[in-house]
Amino acid sequence: MTAVTAVTDRTDHDGGEEDAHARVQHDDHDTRDGRTERAREETGAETGAGRGEETGKGKAEETKQEGSHDWDDGLIARRAADDQAAGAEIGPMGARTTTSLAHDGPLRSRLDALRELVGVSRARLDNRTLAEAGRVLEEAAARRRLSGQHTVVALAGATGSGKSTLFNALTGAALSDTGVRRPTTAAPIVCSWSDGAAPLIDRLGVPGRLRRRPVEGVDGDSPLRGLVLVDLPDHDSAAVQHREQVDRILALVDAVIWVVDPEKYADAVLHERYLRPLAGHAEVMFVVLNQVDRLPGEAAHQVLDDLRRLLDEDGVALGEYGEPGAAVHAVSALTGDGVGELREALGRFVAERGAPARRLSADLEAAARRLRPAYAAGGPAGLGEEARDDFTARLADAVGATAAGEAAERAWLRHAGRACGTPWLRLWRWLQDRRDPPTGRLPVPAPEDEEATARQRVEQAVRVLSERAATGLPEPWAVAVREAALRGSQGLPEALDELAARAGRPQARPPRPGWWPLAVLVQAAMTVLQVLGGIWLVGQIVGVLPPNLGVPALLMATGIVGGPVVEWGSRLAARGPARRYGLEAERRLREAAAGCGRTRVLEPVTAELLRYQEVREQYGRVVGAPTVVR
Amino acid sequence: MLQNPAKIGHSSRVVTLDVRPQLLDALSALRDRVAAVRYPLPLAGAPRARANRDELLAQLDDYLVPRLREPEAPLLAVVGGSTGAGKSTLVNSLVGRRVSEAGVLRPTTRTPVLVCHPGDHHWFSGMRVLPHLTRAWVPRRERCDEQYPLGGDGRRVLRIETAESLPQGLALLDAPDVDSLFADNRVLAAELISAADIWVMVTTAARYADAVPWHLLRTAKQHRVTLITVLDRVPHQVASEVSRQYGALLAKAGLGEVPRFTVPELPESAWGGGLLPATAVAPLRTWLAHQVTDPGARHRAMARTAHGVLDSLRARMPELAGAAAAQYAAALRLTTAVDTAYDREHARVKRRLQNGAVLAGDALKRWRSYPLDCTAAELLDALVESLSALLLCAAIAADQSAAEAWRREPAADAPELTRRDPVLESAEHRIGMAVRRWRRVLEEYAEEEVRDLDGGAAPDPEVLAALVATALLGGRRVRSAGERLAGLIGAHGALRLRDRAGRLLTEYVGRVLRAERERRLAPLDALDVTPEPQAELIAALSVLLKER
């Protein structure tokens, strides 16, 4: 049974679409080659309208958008030049002016916005994501270069639904073969109601032998003037190449008439493969229920209602009660029922000449919608102050700013104590130092190549920062942000090493407070007092000096008590300056590390975020612009 | 009840299939294997494999096992085809009364209808076939326009109708359309067709070239089931031409010998208001009746489908096994990616430990000022903190590179695998715990050393711990730490302490990274993708083939 359900899977394949795209591109190359010729042919009188294309897939290239700008910017000089070119080949309908599509202004600005968007995001997004947008642009440019007066409408539908019969009914002659053999039509057939559509038909890749003229002729004021009708092969038969042709041409036409019949109107392949993806193109879509003659009276209405319900479920807006959307008609191509109304509707539609622009803007919207995940994602993007502070704090940790500051403070305190200490203590310490090996006591001179910075902490800091910066960004931009952070972090530990060595090195002489010399002096005085008292006492003992026990003893006692008191006092007094000194050392290291991190990592990341912000705004311009045609 | 036991005489003359109990046992073992296999990883082939598994299971449950158990049960002819092909009208016409709702709105049939002779009713009222469908049985329907809702609570319903006009031993099933806009319908149609002894494929003059039904026809050919095709709704004027072309298409597809019936398009067939005249469906009716009345034909029809399905197992089981193997291979790739990432980080951590990367930043500054301006406890604190930063960094880097590798694997998109806990905080917590525990054990070691010394000049154990930690984590940079350690507790003691602490460190680092790796792999392990299903499927198949 493998295939039983596999069958159903196949109805919603995407592979076909991609093939179609590829083919479209080929096709467009051809188109471009023939462009000059076509332009000459075209120069005629097409003011205003064009055809819109139908399908959401496959959009052609944008080659030479500059060229297309030329026609729209209102410069007389350019128009004149164009007129000269046009003058060379005045079409059968007399003097004409080359025109762009109707309602082109807003569409053009959105297309420009999209082009800019694609340009700025090339470096960030992969080609596959952008290909769709690129195709839309190319297609739009190609279509806008061509006649805006014609509207290319395709008849599409399942095999046996009567596309060719309807084609014949609309053209008024048996131009396309009809038959009971399924599938009947194998190649698209084109019928053009007015001249000048050749380049458009070239673009469809329909050879000359398959081009037809309606019976009524092309010169008259036919209500269908400007219509180029394409009869497509089926999209659901076992002949795969038919489906490929349909997909290719649907991408190039301005509007589509979907022909369904009472038997097949609910086929999964029609709804899932075509109508749902094309729901956004409802304005350039007709849905025609053919073969109503096979349904008895009431049933036709039931089926029509059911069809409308299905279309609604597909998301196709129905153009009823004057709202924009797909129009649903019931006809019988065989008996001619309803064909007249369809012709009228088509005539109105073609006369409006809005279809090409509508189709292009629907394409644009579809492309923009598909790009959405690449440009817009959840929450707000950007780095908060907190994240920056956290990053610099982590870098400071990595260089060991806190410990360095504490060490500096304690060292300063120690020096102060030693400087203001009693000489005896200093002497004792000196002796002890001489006796003990100096290991660990004296600061070991740091080798230059030492890794003083904790690599793992730097790595972690950068990682946390880039994760924070990347949250809320669409994936491609998140990757870009991470890469920017990673690039910046290369060499960061080494730079921090160097910086720590420079900034962390204590100044040659720590600054001393003003009272320090005084303290040293007093301490010295105390020593002198001790010595004096001692000498005096010794002198008395020896008998050189008159005996006076009180004063020398007092002197000596003052010296002996005063020395440690001064030492203790100055240590207390040194605490404040030591703290300041330590904090200063810490701050210097911290700031140096932060500065290094800012220039190397934070700034590139912020720049990347800014770029994303810009792109996002650009995307907003593509999406947010008001609908082009009303 | 309408069934009349006296009437079930036909079963006596049924030529039974040659079925041995061993075959049934092997088949039910195989069925259990098929039911047990899971495809949890979203690989490219997984949805297909899941669908295949479900179909095979449905066919085994609905058709093959019941058929082989009870060869005398009535033949089931399932009428399948595209939407709007006129299946319901055809069934109604064959039965001679409106049993299935026909209409112009598509898709018409959403509740499958099974029609059988009243005498056969007991075969279908039970759960012998199609056990997934709830039965709705109405003995005699008075009003034709009565609506039967689709199982309101999502249960699917099979309506059973009885009709005297059908020959005993034959049941017709009107299936929903195979190409419906409703995915449920499509699945149900496939399941119903799988349950058929006779596949009746209905197509129309407008549809005979449609791609979708042709896939069904090819499947039928592949499985060599008993197949007939009906070309329905053929306008009179083109009947012969369309029929000829359809025949040509069938012949081209290798289905030339398939019985083909043409039913003309009559006003009745368009909107299902009525029945087609008996003459229009007479040949089809006769053919179907012949299949059940003629024992030889009945046996052929039944055996062909049964054997076809049995044979198809030869291709389908390896396919399922292959998909299971692909699942296992994908799971293995995912595991390997994680293992590689963590192994790489582990190696990097080891290298860094050797280079003394832990003794950097705060820890280095502390060490430089030790012991003059810094206590042993502060030094040890700084070292521990630095070590946990190193491990955390390694764990997160491994996690990220594993995630990076998984991003390239389609299998990693399984919802079970993408749902992740906030790794960072909890990892920080876990690693911090582990490192603090290491420090405690290290201090205990130091205390033991001091206890052994028991001299009056016993050094402070904290100093010992700090020195040994510095010597271990500082790599070659801090030889002096080792020297001082030796000075304090003697060269021998220092060496011993250092060795023990080093082993301890290696063990803790390994344990931390292993724990993180296991946490990373836990969701994948929970999916339980093993190599066994592949082997089991193949084994079950070979047992079955031996028993045939």
Side-chain angles (χ1 to χ4, degrees):
Chain A
M1 283 296 108
T2 29
V4 177
T5 41
V7 166
T8 57
D9 292 341
R10 224 156 286 178
T11 51
D12 40 27
H13 50 116
D14 303 306
E17 277 184 32
E18 304 219 331
D19 292 350
H21 293 324
R23 228 161 297 114
V24 166
Q25 292 206 323
H26 277 301
D27 199 48
D28 253 277
H29 287 298
D30 301 342
T31 319
R32 228 177 316 156
D33 297 338
R35 196 169 53 81
T36 38
E37 267 173 69
R38 199 174 309 148
R40 252 177 277 129
E41 265 179 77
E42 252 328 279
T43 28
E46 357 253 85
T47 336
R51 349 14 275 238
E53 294 128 27
E54 223 347 73
T55 13
K57 17 198 126 151
K59 336 253 138 127
E61 336 186 341
E62 87 197 83
T63 50
K64 305 251 176 136
Q65 37 165 117
E66 265 87 7
S68 52
H69 281 211
D70 291 348
W71 313 124
D72 304 327
D73 58 8
L75 285 185
I76 293 169
R78 288 183 188 158
R79 282 235 180 103
D82 176 44
D83 277 346
Q84 280 165 11
E89 283 209 13
I90 287 186
M93 301 198 66
R96 307 160 176 187
T97 39
T98 301
T99 55
S100 60
L101 311 184
H103 314 289
D104 203 30
L107 174 63
R108 200 186 68 209
S109 64
R110 287 180 71 192
L111 284 171
D112 288 346
L114 180 62
R115 186 170 306 119
E116 233 171 272
L117 180 68
V118 169
V120 295
S121 20
R122 272 225 193 275
R124 296 279 169 271
L125 301 184
D126 58 26
N127 280 335
R128 211 148 32 104
T129 320
L130 289 178
E132 180 66 30
R135 272 192 294 270
V136 170
L137 289 172
E138 286 155 10
E139 177 82 5
R143 182 63 189 89
R144 288 168 65 220
R145 266 197 312 275
L146 300 176
S147 163
Q149 245 202 353
H150 292 90
T151 305
V152 184
V153 180
L155 282 164
T159 172
S161 56
K163 293 178 295 298
S164 297
T165 318
L166 186 60
F167 183 81
N168 291 344
L170 286 171
T171 56
L175 298 182
S176 183
D177 293 335
T178 58
V180 291
R181 186 197 188 97
R182 302 278 155 253
T184 321
T185 308
I189 292 176
V190 177
C191 177
S192 172
W193 265 262
S194 52
D195 289 320
L200 280 169
I201 304 175
D202 289 344
R203 182 158 163 255
L204 300 181
V206 177
R209 66 191 158 81
L210 292 174
R211 301 183 187 184
R212 306 276 188 272
R213 285 301 165 98
V215 170
E216 56 204 271
V218 294
D219 294 330
D221 281 334
S222 162
L224 295 181
R225 219 188 91 203
L227 174 67
V228 178
L229 194 64
V230 187
D231 183 22
L232 290 178
D234 63 89
H235 60 65
D236 66 343
S237 80
V240 182
Q241 66 277 16
H242 289 188
R243 197 159 42 218
E244 290 166 356
Q245 285 207 19
V246 170
D247 291 348
R248 178 178 66 85
I249 291 183
L250 281 184
L252 299 171
V253 298
D254 297 332
V256 173
I257 301 176
W258 291 101
V259 183
V260 298
D261 63 79
E263 199 182 314
K264 289 187 162 189
Y265 74 88
D267 274 15
V269 62
L270 170 70
H271 291 272
E272 289 182 355
R273 181 142 192 253
Y274 292 97
L275 291 181
R276 273 178 210 167
L278 291 179
H281 290 68
E283 284 185 39
V284 286
M285 208 186 257
F286 290 82
V287 181
V288 170
L289 178 68
N290 197 6
Q291 305 179 7
V292 282
D293 53 304
R294 289 172 72 185
L295 291 169
E298 264 309 289
H301 286 290
Q302 280 179 22
V303 172
L304 262 183
D305 284 345
D306 199 42
L307 176 61
R308 287 201 181 97
R309 181 183 62 80
L310 288 177
L311 288 173
D312 197 47
E313 280 172 12
D314 290 337
V316 175
L318 294 179
E320 275 156 19
Y321 315 111
E323 286 168 17
V328 180
H329 293 265
V331 306
S332 168
L334 208 63
T335 62
D337 273 357
V339 174
E341 285 99 76
L342 179 62
R343 275 176 78 100
E344 262 171 47
L346 260 181
R348 275 198 307 276
F349 183 74
V350 171
E352 263 176 40
R353 293 178 181 168
R358 277 190 217 157
R359 194 257 147 84
L360 290 181
S361 67
D363 278 354
L364 185 67
E365 238 141 66
R369 215 174 17 251
R370 230 161 287 149
L371 282 178
R372 194 179 166 73
Y375 291 108
L383 276 179
E385 205 49 44
E386 193 199 342
R388 289 157 192 269
D389 290 349
D390 179 63
F391 176 65
T392 49
R394 278 169 191 272
L395 283 188
D397 270 356
V399 294
T402 319
E406 257 173 48
E409 178 186 340
R410 288 176 192 173
W412 199 87
L413 205 55
R414 195 158 40 81
H415 285 304
R418 195 182 286 175
C420 306
T422 55
W424 316 118
L425 200 61
R426 289 169 88 168
L427 188 68
W428 182 77
R429 277 197 190 127
W430 179 76
L431 285 175
Q432 199 155 35
D433 277 355
R434 289 203 52 169
R435 216 177 46 230
D436 283 352
T439 324
R441 301 265 167 129
L442 304 176
V444 189
E448 280 312 304
D449 62 335
E450 196 179 38
E451 296 183 355
T453 309
R455 263 63 176 157
Q456 60 272 21
R457 283 187 194 267
V458 175
E459 201 182 314
Q460 186 66 13
V462 171
R463 187 174 296 135
V464 170
L465 178 82
S466 65
E467 281 313 313
R468 280 195 182 186
T471 43
L473 295 192
E475 189 53 30
W477 305 95
V479 169
V481 163
R482 281 193 209 108
E483 275 172 5
L486 198 66
R487 258 199 316 280
S489 73
Q490 275 159 10
L492 181 60
E494 288 75 16
L496 287 175
D497 277 351
E498 195 181 312
L499 183 144
R502 220 173 336 108
R505 193 175 298 138
Q507 289 154 353
R509 294 182 70 81
R512 296 182 169 195
W515 49 263
W516 190 314
L518 189 67
V520 175
L521 207 66
V522 172
Q523 186 66 264
M526 290 302 158
T527 315
V528 169
L529 280 183
Q530 283 176 39
V531 174
L532 270 183
I535 291 172
W536 197 333
L537 278 180
V538 171
Q540 283 178 7
I541 292 161
V542 175
V544 181
L545 291 169
N548 181 357
L549 214 58
V551 179
L554 195 66
L555 276 181
M556 207 169 151
T558 312
I560 287 171
V561 175
V565 166
V566 169
E567 186 178 344
W568 178 75
S570 53
R571 183 167 297 169
L572 269 190
R575 218 170 260 179
R579 175 126 200 82
R580 274 197 298 280
Y581 176 67
L583 283 179
E584 172 65 19
E586 183 183 339
R587 190 189 55 79
R588 252 185 301 129
L589 204 53
R590 206 174 267 279
E591 272 179 8
C596 193
R598 235 191 322 271
T599 44
R600 278 174 178 264
V601 178
L602 268 180
E603 276 170 17
V605 167
T606 314
E608 203 59 55
L609 286 175
L610 267 180
R611 210 164 303 150
Y612 166 70
Q613 214 58 43
E614 275 169 27
V615 164
R616 195 172 167 163
E617 275 161 24
Q618 187 72 25
Y619 177 74
R621 274 196 284 282
V622 174
V623 177
T627 322
V628 182
V629 194
R630 266 292 106 119
Chain B
M1 289 269 117
L2 292 171
Q3 67 189 48
N4 182 351
K7 276 192 181 174
I8 315 174
H10 68 276
S11 58
S12 53
R13 45 193 172 84
V14 160
V15 182
T16 53
L17 289 164
D18 178 25
V19 177
R20 286 176 298 140
Q22 291 96 316
L23 177 62
L24 276 176
D25 289 346
L27 200 59
S28 51
L30 179 127
R31 185 229 166 258
D32 291 343
R33 293 283 181 237
V34 171
V37 65
R38 293 273 174 280
Y39 301 100
L41 298 177
L43 294 175
R48 179 78 182 264
R50 253 173 257 145
N52 284 352
R53 199 252 336 255
D54 292 348
E55 271 173 10
L56 181 55
L57 203 58
Q59 202 170 15
L60 289 173
D61 284 347
D62 296 341
Y63 174 70
L64 199 54
V65 175
R67 174 51 72 202
L68 294 181
R69 283 227 168 93
E70 290 158 319
E72 71 280 6
L75 288 186
L76 181 62
V78 175
V79 181
S82 311
T83 176
K87 297 179 293 295
S88 298
T89 308
L90 189 69
V91 169
N92 289 343
S93 305
L94 283 170
V95 174
R97 114 183 132 78
R98 285 189 62 184
V99 287
S100 180
E101 205 61 39
V104 290
L105 302 186
R106 312 270 162 250
T108 321
T109 306
R110 297 190 188 188
T111 305
V113 181
L114 190 148
V115 198
C116 62
H117 188 270
D120 289 333
H121 180 256
H122 68 283
W123 288 111
F124 298 104
S125 56
M127 291 288 139
R128 189 185 70 94
V129 292
L130 301 169
H132 313 299
L133 299 173
T134 312
R135 302 295 195 267
W137 185 68
V138 183
R140 186 68 65 185
R141 226 150 46 99
E142 302 305 330
R143 289 179 304 121
C144 292
D145 51 355
E146 202 174 331
Q147 287 294 320
Y148 283 87
L150 191 67
D153 46 352
R155 283 177 315 143
R156 295 179 303 174
V157 174
L158 174 69
R159 218 172 75 220
I160 297 182
E161 292 275 344
T162 54
E164 298 275 0
S165 52
L166 272 187
Q168 204 164 14
L170 175 70
L172 283 175
L173 205 164
D174 180 19
D177 38 356
V178 292
D179 54 356
S180 173
L181 200 48
F182 298 89
D184 287 349
N185 260 14
R186 300 199 287 240
V187 174
L188 180 58
E191 202 180 311
L192 292 175
I193 290 173
S194 303
D197 290 295
I198 301 173
W199 294 28
V200 183
M201 290 293 142
V202 183
T203 186
T204 68
R207 278 197 181 273
Y208 66 82
D210 280 15
V212 177
W214 275 98
H215 288 295
L216 262 185
L217 288 177
R218 284 194 204 103
T219 310
K221 177 170 181 268
Q222 231 174 330
H223 294 176
R224 299 209 308 265
V225 297
T226 305
L227 171 73
I228 58 174
T229 65
V230 178
L231 188 58
D232 198 5
R233 307 183 70 166
V234 186
H236 271 304
Q237 54 273 32
V238 297
S240 58
E241 192 186 345
V242 167
S243 175
R244 197 179 60 245
Q245 274 164 11
Y246 186 46
L249 283 180
L250 281 175
K252 212 169 113 193
L255 292 162
E257 81 289 359
V258 171
R260 200 148 41 81
F261 299 90
T262 305
V263 177
E265 166 138 51
L266 299 168
E268 291 91 329
S269 63
W271 59 93
L275 310 172
L276 297 170
T279 49
V281 295
L284 177 59
R285 211 185 134 77
T286 318
W287 189 90
L288 286 173
H290 175 73
Q291 298 305 308
V292 290
T293 46
D294 177 31
R298 180 188 149 87
H299 179 237
R300 269 196 306 280
M302 196 167 66
R304 186 180 149 94
T305 309
H307 286 146
V309 173
L310 271 179
D311 286 343
S312 77
L313 290 178
R314 256 183 238 269
R316 290 155 81 184
M317 295 296 286
E319 208 174 310
L320 289 182
Q327 292 272 321
Y328 177 62
L332 209 57
R333 271 203 306 282
L334 293 182
T335 315
T336 315
V338 173
D339 282 348
T340 317
Y342 278 87
D343 284 344
R344 202 168 48 227
E345 283 304 320
H346 196 175
R348 199 159 74 116
V349 164
K350 277 188 196 152
R351 221 165 37 241
R352 286 186 147 187
L353 281 176
Q354 248 160 26
N355 292 344
V358 174
L359 195 71
D362 265 4
L364 184 64
K365 297 279 188 299
R366 294 279 187 215
W367 169 243
R368 291 240 182 94
S369 54
Y370 178 84
L372 280 184
D373 300 325
C374 157
T375 65
E378 279 173 331
L379 176 61
L380 203 51
D381 281 346
L383 282 170
V384 160
E385 212 174 300
S386 190
L387 178 63
S388 51
L390 176 71
L391 290 179
L392 180 66
C393 172
I396 289 177
D399 183 73
Q400 278 194 345
S401 74
E404 189 65 35
W406 278 23
R407 210 165 292 149
R408 291 189 294 271
E409 293 282 346
D413 286 341
E416 293 88 350
L417 299 184
T418 45
R419 208 172 36 234
R420 301 269 310 278
D421 49 347
V423 172
L424 190 68
E425 277 70 26
S426 52
E428 199 167 354
H429 178 69
R430 286 192 302 271
I431 289 173
M433 291 261 288
V435 173
R436 279 196 297 280
R437 206 169 302 136
W438 172 75
R439 177 192 175 159
R440 256 200 315 280
V441 179
L442 187 69
E443 281 168 351
E444 276 166 27
Y445 284 1
E447 274 162 25
E448 278 169 33
E449 285 297 331
V450 172
R451 218 176 302 133
D452 292 349
L453 280 181
D454 74 0
D460 185 3
E462 188 139 55
V463 172
L464 280 191
L467 282 178
V468 75
T470 311
L472 271 178
L473 299 172
R476 285 182 295 271
R477 271 197 235 165
V478 279
R479 231 169 259 132
S480 57
E483 285 162 14
R484 265 155 68 185
L485 191 63
L488 284 175
I489 54 171
H492 189 65
L495 202 62
R496 189 175 53 212
L497 184 59
R498 209 182 146 154
D499 275 357
R500 287 178 74 192
R503 276 199 301 277
L504 190 72
L505 178 66
T506 316
E507 184 198 321
Y508 268 78
V509 167
R511 197 189 290 172
V512 163
L513 289 178
R514 243 188 337 271
E516 291 303 312
R517 174 197 314 214
E518 265 150 33
R519 286 186 68 85
R520 189 71 171 78
L521 283 174
L524 183 61
D525 291 340
L527 288 182
D528 196 25
V529 184
T530 57
E532 281 88 38
Q534 184 201 7
E536 285 171 357
L537 286 173
I538 296 296
L541 177 64
S542 60
V543 169
L544 182 77
L545 291 180
K546 213 162 66 207
E547 293 299 338
R548 275 200 64 189

